[in-house]
Amino acid sequence: MNPEYRMSAPALVFLAPPPAGGDHDVTPDLPASRPARAARPAATLRMTRGARNAAAGMDVTDADVQRCLDAPDDVTPDARNPSRDRYRRSDLVVLAAADGMVLRIERRGR
């Protein structure tokens, strides 16, 4: 992770009640650049339809994407939209919104 990159966004406030079941507690000691999605189990990984189709086409599993989000080699803000983060692990690059939604999945260096 790039030590110079730090987000100073305010904490997220969820107005709707969480869905029934599961662990919905947010871990307070998560780094500011990583949204609360890291506190959720891999089964709740949220992706846009395009990201899901791209992952399926590249044979990338949800577990691969979750590993990239949980333990990236590098995290940088997106050049076009700084409120989004680019997570890179090996050749997998995941673009995620501030709310944890996976927007795009790419393979680099192939």
Side-chain angles (χ1 to χ4, degrees):
M1 185 166 116
N2 185 349
E4 296 178 37
Y5 173 63
R6 300 279 185 244
M7 280 184 58
S8 60
L12 296 176
V13 177
F14 296 96
L15 301 177
D23 182 13
H24 302 289
D25 295 331
V26 176
T27 306
D29 59 348
L30 290 175
S33 65
R34 300 209 26 231
R37 71 178 161 270
R40 294 192 304 247
T44 62
L45 186 64
R46 297 180 320 131
M47 291 188 200
T48 61
R49 188 177 305 151
R52 179 86 51 201
N53 291 340
M58 292 183 286
D59 293 325
V60 175
T61 65
D62 282 3
D64 294 334
V65 174
Q66 190 67 46
R67 275 192 296 276
C68 183
L69 295 172
D70 289 342
D73 295 335
D74 187 37
V75 178
T76 57
D78 184 51
R80 287 181 273 167
N81 191 340
S83 67
R84 297 175 178 170
D85 289 328
R86 283 191 178 277
Y87 295 83
R88 184 186 58 78
R89 181 179 173 117
S90 186
D91 66 340
L92 183 65
V93 178
V94 176
L95 177 68
D99 67 353
M101 174 73 73
V102 174
L103 304 172
R104 187 179 315 142
I105 296 174
E106 302 170 347
R107 289 268 192 201
R108 297 291 170 133
R110 280 191 149 187

PDB file of all heavy atoms in Angstrom, residues 50-51 54-55 58 60 65 68 78 80 86-95 102-110:
ATOM      1  N   GLY A  50     -21.311  -5.750 -14.984  1.00  0.00           N
ATOM      2  CA  GLY A  50     -20.153  -5.736 -15.884  1.00  0.00           C
ATOM      3  C   GLY A  50     -18.915  -6.331 -15.239  1.00  0.00           C
ATOM      4  O   GLY A  50     -18.174  -7.078 -15.866  1.00  0.00           O
ATOM      5  N   ALA A  51     -18.689  -5.999 -13.961  1.00  0.00           N
ATOM      6  CA  ALA A  51     -17.534  -6.563 -13.255  1.00  0.00           C
ATOM      7  C   ALA A  51     -17.706  -8.063 -13.071  1.00  0.00           C
ATOM      8  O   ALA A  51     -16.754  -8.826 -13.231  1.00  0.00           O
ATOM      9  CB  ALA A  51     -17.366  -5.882 -11.896  1.00  0.00           C
ATOM     10  N   ALA A  54     -17.004  -9.680 -16.425  1.00  0.00           N
ATOM     11  CA  ALA A  54     -15.575  -9.635 -16.722  1.00  0.00           C
ATOM     12  C   ALA A  54     -14.825 -10.677 -15.902  1.00  0.00           C
ATOM     13  O   ALA A  54     -13.932 -11.367 -16.418  1.00  0.00           O
ATOM     14  CB  ALA A  54     -15.017  -8.241 -16.447  1.00  0.00           C
ATOM     15  N   ALA A  55     -15.172 -10.812 -14.640  1.00  0.00           N
ATOM     16  CA  ALA A  55     -14.524 -11.802 -13.784  1.00  0.00           C
ATOM     17  C   ALA A  55     -14.771 -13.216 -14.300  1.00  0.00           C
ATOM     18  O   ALA A  55     -13.850 -14.034 -14.370  1.00  0.00           O
ATOM     19  CB  ALA A  55     -15.024 -11.678 -12.345  1.00  0.00           C
ATOM     20  N   MET A  58     -12.661 -13.955 -17.347  1.00  0.00           N
ATOM     21  CA  MET A  58     -11.236 -14.123 -17.076  1.00  0.00           C
ATOM     22  C   MET A  58     -10.970 -15.259 -16.089  1.00  0.00           C
ATOM     23  O   MET A  58      -9.848 -15.430 -15.630  1.00  0.00           O
ATOM     24  CB  MET A  58     -10.662 -12.820 -16.502  1.00  0.00           C
ATOM     25  CG  MET A  58     -10.633 -11.678 -17.481  1.00  0.00           C
ATOM     26  SD  MET A  58      -9.860 -10.211 -16.774  1.00  0.00           S
ATOM     27  CE  MET A  58     -11.134  -9.638 -15.669  1.00  0.00           C
ATOM     28  N   VAL A  60     -11.838 -15.404 -12.973  1.00  0.00           N
ATOM     29  CA  VAL A  60     -11.491 -14.834 -11.680  1.00  0.00           C
ATOM     30  C   VAL A  60     -12.642 -15.127 -10.727  1.00  0.00           C
ATOM     31  O   VAL A  60     -13.788 -14.782 -11.002  1.00  0.00           O
ATOM     32  CB  VAL A  60     -11.256 -13.310 -11.787  1.00  0.00           C
ATOM     33  CG1 VAL A  60     -11.025 -12.696 -10.418  1.00  0.00           C
ATOM     34  CG2 VAL A  60     -10.100 -13.006 -12.714  1.00  0.00           C
ATOM     35  N   VAL A  65     -11.003 -11.986  -5.992  1.00  0.00           N
ATOM     36  CA  VAL A  65     -11.300 -10.557  -5.852  1.00  0.00           C
ATOM     37  C   VAL A  65     -11.222 -10.155  -4.383  1.00  0.00           C
ATOM     38  O   VAL A  65     -10.644  -9.123  -4.038  1.00  0.00           O
ATOM     39  CB  VAL A  65     -12.694 -10.226  -6.446  1.00  0.00           C
ATOM     40  CG1 VAL A  65     -13.069  -8.783  -6.170  1.00  0.00           C
ATOM     41  CG2 VAL A  65     -12.717 -10.516  -7.938  1.00  0.00           C
ATOM     42  N   CYS A  68      -7.715  -9.814  -3.252  1.00  0.00           N
ATOM     43  CA  CYS A  68      -7.135  -8.573  -3.782  1.00  0.00           C
ATOM     44  C   CYS A  68      -7.558  -7.377  -2.914  1.00  0.00           C
ATOM     45  O   CYS A  68      -6.751  -6.498  -2.630  1.00  0.00           O
ATOM     46  CB  CYS A  68      -7.569  -8.365  -5.231  1.00  0.00           C
ATOM     47  SG  CYS A  68      -6.850  -6.918  -6.011  1.00  0.00           S
ATOM     48  N   ASP A  78      -8.253   6.179  -8.101  1.00  0.00           N
ATOM     49  CA  ASP A  78      -8.474   6.130  -9.538  1.00  0.00           C
ATOM     50  C   ASP A  78      -8.159   7.500 -10.129  1.00  0.00           C
ATOM     51  O   ASP A  78      -8.520   8.532  -9.555  1.00  0.00           O
ATOM     52  CB  ASP A  78      -9.932   5.740  -9.819  1.00  0.00           C
ATOM     53  CG  ASP A  78     -10.206   5.589 -11.291  1.00  0.00           C
ATOM     54  OD1 ASP A  78      -9.455   4.863 -11.966  1.00  0.00           O
ATOM     55  OD2 ASP A  78     -11.184   6.199 -11.779  1.00  0.00           O
ATOM     56  N   ARG A  80      -9.349   8.978 -12.786  1.00  0.00           N
ATOM     57  CA  ARG A  80     -10.523   9.718 -13.264  1.00  0.00           C
ATOM     58  C   ARG A  80     -11.502  10.081 -12.154  1.00  0.00           C
ATOM     59  O   ARG A  80     -12.245  11.038 -12.286  1.00  0.00           O
ATOM     60  CB  ARG A  80     -11.244   8.924 -14.342  1.00  0.00           C
ATOM     61  CG  ARG A  80     -10.462   8.926 -15.648  1.00  0.00           C
ATOM     62  CD  ARG A  80     -11.192   8.176 -16.698  1.00  0.00           C
ATOM     63  NE  ARG A  80     -10.788   6.770 -16.541  1.00  0.00           N
ATOM     64  CZ  ARG A  80     -11.376   5.752 -17.109  1.00  0.00           C
ATOM     65  NH1 ARG A  80     -12.419   5.946 -17.865  1.00  0.00           N
ATOM     66  NH2 ARG A  80     -10.934   4.535 -16.936  1.00  0.00           N
ATOM     67  N   ARG A  86      -8.172   1.837  -6.623  1.00  0.00           N
ATOM     68  CA  ARG A  86      -7.670   0.741  -7.456  1.00  0.00           C
ATOM     69  C   ARG A  86      -6.825  -0.152  -6.569  1.00  0.00           C
ATOM     70  O   ARG A  86      -5.831   0.285  -6.005  1.00  0.00           O
ATOM     71  CB  ARG A  86      -6.799   1.263  -8.588  1.00  0.00           C
ATOM     72  CG  ARG A  86      -7.541   1.846  -9.699  1.00  0.00           C
ATOM     73  CD  ARG A  86      -6.589   2.073 -10.885  1.00  0.00           C
ATOM     74  NE  ARG A  86      -7.366   2.598 -11.968  1.00  0.00           N
ATOM     75  CZ  ARG A  86      -8.075   1.850 -12.794  1.00  0.00           C
ATOM     76  NH1 ARG A  86      -8.064   0.555 -12.672  1.00  0.00           N
ATOM     77  NH2 ARG A  86      -8.793   2.396 -13.744  1.00  0.00           N
ATOM     78  N   TYR A  87      -7.241  -1.398  -6.439  1.00  0.00           N
ATOM     79  CA  TYR A  87      -6.510  -2.392  -5.658  1.00  0.00           C
ATOM     80  C   TYR A  87      -5.797  -3.306  -6.642  1.00  0.00           C
ATOM     81  O   TYR A  87      -6.410  -3.814  -7.570  1.00  0.00           O
ATOM     82  CB  TYR A  87      -7.472  -3.219  -4.803  1.00  0.00           C
ATOM     83  CG  TYR A  87      -8.175  -2.404  -3.749  1.00  0.00           C
ATOM     84  CD1 TYR A  87      -9.314  -1.670  -4.054  1.00  0.00           C
ATOM     85  CD2 TYR A  87      -7.697  -2.376  -2.450  1.00  0.00           C
ATOM     86  CE1 TYR A  87      -9.955  -0.922  -3.092  1.00  0.00           C
ATOM     87  CE2 TYR A  87      -8.337  -1.635  -1.486  1.00  0.00           C
ATOM     88  CZ  TYR A  87      -9.465  -0.904  -1.809  1.00  0.00           C
ATOM     89  OH  TYR A  87     -10.099  -0.164  -0.853  1.00  0.00           O
ATOM     90  N   ARG A  88      -4.490  -3.519  -6.441  1.00  0.00           N
ATOM     91  CA  ARG A  88      -3.732  -4.407  -7.312  1.00  0.00           C
ATOM     92  C   ARG A  88      -3.086  -5.492  -6.473  1.00  0.00           C
ATOM     93  O   ARG A  88      -2.484  -5.228  -5.435  1.00  0.00           O
ATOM     94  CB  ARG A  88      -2.651  -3.635  -8.062  1.00  0.00           C
ATOM     95  CG  ARG A  88      -1.900  -4.506  -9.071  1.00  0.00           C
ATOM     96  CD  ARG A  88      -0.736  -3.777  -9.697  1.00  0.00           C
ATOM     97  NE  ARG A  88       0.227  -3.298  -8.729  1.00  0.00           N
ATOM     98  CZ  ARG A  88       1.149  -4.065  -8.123  1.00  0.00           C
ATOM     99  NH1 ARG A  88       1.216  -5.343  -8.380  1.00  0.00           N
ATOM    100  NH2 ARG A  88       2.000  -3.537  -7.261  1.00  0.00           N
ATOM    101  N   ARG A  89      -3.252  -6.710  -6.933  1.00  0.00           N
ATOM    102  CA  ARG A  89      -2.577  -7.856  -6.325  1.00  0.00           C
ATOM    103  C   ARG A  89      -2.095  -8.723  -7.472  1.00  0.00           C
ATOM    104  O   ARG A  89      -2.907  -9.246  -8.228  1.00  0.00           O
ATOM    105  CB  ARG A  89      -3.515  -8.635  -5.417  1.00  0.00           C
ATOM    106  CG  ARG A  89      -2.828  -9.814  -4.745  1.00  0.00           C
ATOM    107  CD  ARG A  89      -3.792 -10.544  -3.834  1.00  0.00           C
ATOM    108  NE  ARG A  89      -3.193 -11.745  -3.337  1.00  0.00           N
ATOM    109  CZ  ARG A  89      -2.944 -12.001  -2.073  1.00  0.00           C
ATOM    110  NH1 ARG A  89      -3.270 -11.124  -1.152  1.00  0.00           N
ATOM    111  NH2 ARG A  89      -2.398 -13.133  -1.721  1.00  0.00           N
ATOM    112  N   SER A  90      -0.791  -8.844  -7.610  1.00  0.00           N
ATOM    113  CA  SER A  90      -0.187  -9.578  -8.710  1.00  0.00           C
ATOM    114  C   SER A  90      -0.650  -8.925 -10.015  1.00  0.00           C
ATOM    115  O   SER A  90      -0.450  -7.745 -10.208  1.00  0.00           O
ATOM    116  CB  SER A  90      -0.545 -11.054  -8.614  1.00  0.00           C
ATOM    117  OG  SER A  90       0.128 -11.801  -9.587  1.00  0.00           O
ATOM    118  N   ASP A  91      -1.318  -9.659 -10.911  1.00  0.00           N
ATOM    119  CA  ASP A  91      -1.780  -9.072 -12.171  1.00  0.00           C
ATOM    120  C   ASP A  91      -3.263  -8.712 -12.142  1.00  0.00           C
ATOM    121  O   ASP A  91      -3.813  -8.249 -13.135  1.00  0.00           O
ATOM    122  CB  ASP A  91      -1.495 -10.014 -13.338  1.00  0.00           C
ATOM    123  CG  ASP A  91      -2.285 -11.304 -13.264  1.00  0.00           C
ATOM    124  OD1 ASP A  91      -2.753 -11.652 -12.170  1.00  0.00           O
ATOM    125  OD2 ASP A  91      -2.423 -11.964 -14.305  1.00  0.00           O
ATOM    126  N   LEU A  92      -3.926  -8.887 -10.998  1.00  0.00           N
ATOM    127  CA  LEU A  92      -5.349  -8.573 -10.869  1.00  0.00           C
ATOM    128  C   LEU A  92      -5.518  -7.145 -10.360  1.00  0.00           C
ATOM    129  O   LEU A  92      -4.900  -6.755  -9.366  1.00  0.00           O
ATOM    130  CB  LEU A  92      -6.015  -9.557  -9.906  1.00  0.00           C
ATOM    131  CG  LEU A  92      -7.518  -9.404  -9.727  1.00  0.00           C
ATOM    132  CD1 LEU A  92      -8.244  -9.716 -11.034  1.00  0.00           C
ATOM    133  CD2 LEU A  92      -8.004 -10.341  -8.630  1.00  0.00           C
ATOM    134  N   VAL A  93      -6.341  -6.355 -11.062  1.00  0.00           N
ATOM    135  CA  VAL A  93      -6.633  -4.984 -10.663  1.00  0.00           C
ATOM    136  C   VAL A  93      -8.136  -4.866 -10.464  1.00  0.00           C
ATOM    137  O   VAL A  93      -8.920  -5.230 -11.344  1.00  0.00           O
ATOM    138  CB  VAL A  93      -6.166  -3.963 -11.726  1.00  0.00           C
ATOM    139  CG1 VAL A  93      -6.515  -2.551 -11.302  1.00  0.00           C
ATOM    140  CG2 VAL A  93      -4.676  -4.101 -11.979  1.00  0.00           C
ATOM    141  N   VAL A  94      -8.544  -4.354  -9.284  1.00  0.00           N
ATOM    142  CA  VAL A  94      -9.956  -4.214  -8.943  1.00  0.00           C
ATOM    143  C   VAL A  94     -10.223  -2.745  -8.656  1.00  0.00           C
ATOM    144  O   VAL A  94      -9.539  -2.134  -7.835  1.00  0.00           O
ATOM    145  CB  VAL A  94     -10.323  -5.070  -7.713  1.00  0.00           C
ATOM    146  CG1 VAL A  94     -11.758  -4.846  -7.311  1.00  0.00           C
ATOM    147  CG2 VAL A  94     -10.067  -6.538  -7.990  1.00  0.00           C
ATOM    148  N   LEU A  95     -11.220  -2.181  -9.334  1.00  0.00           N
ATOM    149  CA  LEU A  95     -11.662  -0.814  -9.077  1.00  0.00           C
ATOM    150  C   LEU A  95     -12.899  -0.900  -8.197  1.00  0.00           C
ATOM    151  O   LEU A  95     -13.868  -1.580  -8.549  1.00  0.00           O
ATOM    152  CB  LEU A  95     -11.987  -0.089 -10.386  1.00  0.00           C
ATOM    153  CG  LEU A  95     -12.523   1.329 -10.246  1.00  0.00           C
ATOM    154  CD1 LEU A  95     -11.437   2.256  -9.697  1.00  0.00           C
ATOM    155  CD2 LEU A  95     -13.036   1.843 -11.567  1.00  0.00           C
ATOM    156  N   VAL A 102     -17.679  -3.376  -6.170  1.00  0.00           N
ATOM    157  CA  VAL A 102     -16.635  -3.629  -7.167  1.00  0.00           C
ATOM    158  C   VAL A 102     -17.178  -3.180  -8.517  1.00  0.00           C
ATOM    159  O   VAL A 102     -18.216  -3.665  -8.971  1.00  0.00           O
ATOM    160  CB  VAL A 102     -16.240  -5.119  -7.198  1.00  0.00           C
ATOM    161  CG1 VAL A 102     -15.265  -5.394  -8.327  1.00  0.00           C
ATOM    162  CG2 VAL A 102     -15.639  -5.527  -5.860  1.00  0.00           C
ATOM    163  N   LEU A 103     -16.485  -2.243  -9.144  1.00  0.00           N
ATOM    164  CA  LEU A 103     -16.959  -1.645 -10.394  1.00  0.00           C
ATOM    165  C   LEU A 103     -16.306  -2.250 -11.632  1.00  0.00           C
ATOM    166  O   LEU A 103     -16.936  -2.351 -12.672  1.00  0.00           O
ATOM    167  CB  LEU A 103     -16.689  -0.137 -10.375  1.00  0.00           C
ATOM    168  CG  LEU A 103     -17.291   0.618  -9.196  1.00  0.00           C
ATOM    169  CD1 LEU A 103     -16.800   2.050  -9.194  1.00  0.00           C
ATOM    170  CD2 LEU A 103     -18.803   0.551  -9.240  1.00  0.00           C
ATOM    171  N   ARG A 104     -15.034  -2.631 -11.510  1.00  0.00           N
ATOM    172  CA  ARG A 104     -14.316  -3.140 -12.679  1.00  0.00           C
ATOM    173  C   ARG A 104     -13.230  -4.102 -12.216  1.00  0.00           C
ATOM    174  O   ARG A 104     -12.629  -3.919 -11.170  1.00  0.00           O
ATOM    175  CB  ARG A 104     -13.667  -1.986 -13.430  1.00  0.00           C
ATOM    176  CG  ARG A 104     -13.043  -2.400 -14.738  1.00  0.00           C
ATOM    177  CD  ARG A 104     -12.417  -1.240 -15.509  1.00  0.00           C
ATOM    178  NE  ARG A 104     -13.277  -0.080 -15.530  1.00  0.00           N
ATOM    179  CZ  ARG A 104     -12.827   1.165 -15.426  1.00  0.00           C
ATOM    180  NH1 ARG A 104     -11.548   1.402 -15.320  1.00  0.00           N
ATOM    181  NH2 ARG A 104     -13.667   2.182 -15.451  1.00  0.00           N
ATOM    182  N   ILE A 105     -12.983  -5.119 -13.050  1.00  0.00           N
ATOM    183  CA  ILE A 105     -11.924  -6.087 -12.789  1.00  0.00           C
ATOM    184  C   ILE A 105     -11.106  -6.212 -14.067  1.00  0.00           C
ATOM    185  O   ILE A 105     -11.657  -6.338 -15.148  1.00  0.00           O
ATOM    186  CB  ILE A 105     -12.500  -7.457 -12.411  1.00  0.00           C
ATOM    187  CG1 ILE A 105     -13.279  -7.322 -11.101  1.00  0.00           C
ATOM    188  CG2 ILE A 105     -11.398  -8.493 -12.270  1.00  0.00           C
ATOM    189  CD1 ILE A 105     -14.013  -8.558 -10.702  1.00  0.00           C
ATOM    190  N   GLU A 106      -9.780  -6.146 -13.918  1.00  0.00           N
ATOM    191  CA  GLU A 106      -8.878  -6.229 -15.072  1.00  0.00           C
ATOM    192  C   GLU A 106      -7.694  -7.113 -14.734  1.00  0.00           C
ATOM    193  O   GLU A 106      -7.357  -7.294 -13.567  1.00  0.00           O
ATOM    194  CB  GLU A 106      -8.342  -4.846 -15.439  1.00  0.00           C
ATOM    195  CG  GLU A 106      -9.394  -3.816 -15.753  1.00  0.00           C
ATOM    196  CD  GLU A 106      -8.797  -2.424 -15.864  1.00  0.00           C
ATOM    197  OE1 GLU A 106      -7.631  -2.204 -15.470  1.00  0.00           O
ATOM    198  OE2 GLU A 106      -9.514  -1.542 -16.363  1.00  0.00           O
ATOM    199  N   ARG A 107      -7.066  -7.636 -15.761  1.00  0.00           N
ATOM    200  CA  ARG A 107      -5.791  -8.345 -15.623  1.00  0.00           C
ATOM    201  C   ARG A 107      -4.747  -7.482 -16.305  1.00  0.00           C
ATOM    202  O   ARG A 107      -4.930  -7.054 -17.443  1.00  0.00           O
ATOM    203  CB  ARG A 107      -5.841  -9.713 -16.294  1.00  0.00           C
ATOM    204  CG  ARG A 107      -6.697 -10.704 -15.586  1.00  0.00           C
ATOM    205  CD  ARG A 107      -5.862 -11.481 -14.609  1.00  0.00           C
ATOM    206  NE  ARG A 107      -6.633 -12.623 -14.132  1.00  0.00           N
ATOM    207  CZ  ARG A 107      -6.347 -13.232 -13.027  1.00  0.00           C
ATOM    208  NH1 ARG A 107      -5.338 -12.843 -12.297  1.00  0.00           N
ATOM    209  NH2 ARG A 107      -7.069 -14.249 -12.633  1.00  0.00           N
ATOM    210  N   ARG A 108      -3.631  -7.223 -15.651  1.00  0.00           N
ATOM    211  CA  ARG A 108      -2.546  -6.441 -16.228  1.00  0.00           C
ATOM    212  C   ARG A 108      -1.341  -7.320 -16.449  1.00  0.00           C
ATOM    213  O   ARG A 108      -1.108  -8.271 -15.712  1.00  0.00           O
ATOM    214  CB  ARG A 108      -2.152  -5.283 -15.294  1.00  0.00           C
ATOM    215  CG  ARG A 108      -3.261  -4.302 -15.074  1.00  0.00           C
ATOM    216  CD  ARG A 108      -3.521  -3.552 -16.349  1.00  0.00           C
ATOM    217  NE  ARG A 108      -4.736  -2.769 -16.214  1.00  0.00           N
ATOM    218  CZ  ARG A 108      -4.833  -1.515 -16.556  1.00  0.00           C
ATOM    219  NH1 ARG A 108      -3.807  -0.900 -17.076  1.00  0.00           N
ATOM    220  NH2 ARG A 108      -5.954  -0.873 -16.414  1.00  0.00           N
ATOM    221  N   GLY A 109      -0.559  -7.012 -17.450  1.00  0.00           N
ATOM    222  CA  GLY A 109       0.696  -7.706 -17.676  1.00  0.00           C
ATOM    223  C   GLY A 109       0.569  -9.034 -18.374  1.00  0.00           C
ATOM    224  O   GLY A 109       1.464  -9.851 -18.331  1.00  0.00           O
ATOM    225  N   ARG A 110      -0.550  -9.288 -19.033  1.00  0.00           N
ATOM    226  CA  ARG A 110      -0.715 -10.549 -19.773  1.00  0.00           C
ATOM    227  C   ARG A 110      -0.189 -10.409 -21.156  1.00  0.00           C
ATOM    228  O   ARG A 110      -0.188  -9.459 -21.803  1.00  0.00           O
ATOM    229  CB  ARG A 110      -2.185 -10.926 -19.841  1.00  0.00           C
ATOM    230  CG  ARG A 110      -2.647 -11.555 -18.569  1.00  0.00           C
ATOM    231  CD  ARG A 110      -4.009 -12.136 -18.774  1.00  0.00           C
ATOM    232  NE  ARG A 110      -4.091 -13.286 -17.897  1.00  0.00           N
ATOM    233  CZ  ARG A 110      -5.069 -14.121 -17.884  1.00  0.00           C
ATOM    234  NH1 ARG A 110      -6.051 -13.996 -18.712  1.00  0.00           N
ATOM    235  NH2 ARG A 110      -5.104 -15.112 -17.076  1.00  0.00           N
TER     236      ARG A 110
END
